[in-house]
Amino acid sequence: MLKTSEISNLGEKELNEKVATLKTELFNKKFTKFTTGADKPHVAKDLKKDIARLLTAKNAKNKVK
């Protein structure tokens, strides 16, 4: 789980890269959930929250500009 202090230190390019990697990880988790069953169902929920936090920080930085 990402902390807000970590997110605020990231630049816009890093935010985009982090969102992309988390989205691929979320896709992989969903795929394994439907094929083999979820080992840890809370992981997908945490990934969604992290993606939302990153996108919120990205939008906030864009509004400041």
Side-chain angles (χ1 to χ4, degrees):
M1 185 174 254
L2 294 173
K3 297 186 180 196
T4 54
S5 59
E6 295 172 359
I7 294 172
S8 62
N9 293 335
L10 297 175
E12 189 169 343
K13 184 177 178 182
E14 294 168 327
L15 283 173
N16 290 333
E17 291 172 358
K18 193 76 170 168
V19 167
T21 57
L22 287 177
K23 282 186 177 183
T24 16
E25 190 176 339
L26 178 63
F27 174 77
N28 291 334
K29 291 289 181 189
K30 284 183 178 180
F31 188 74
T32 56
K33 175 185 172 187
F34 290 119
T35 55
T36 61
D39 293 335
K40 300 177 184 176
H42 68 279
V43 174
K45 186 177 178 181
D46 290 341
L47 285 172
K48 287 180 188 179
K49 286 183 179 184
D50 285 342
I51 292 170
R53 282 188 191 100
L54 288 169
L55 291 176
T56 302
K58 180 181 169 187
N59 288 333
K61 287 185 180 185
N62 286 338
K63 282 187 178 183
V64 172
K65 288 183 180 180

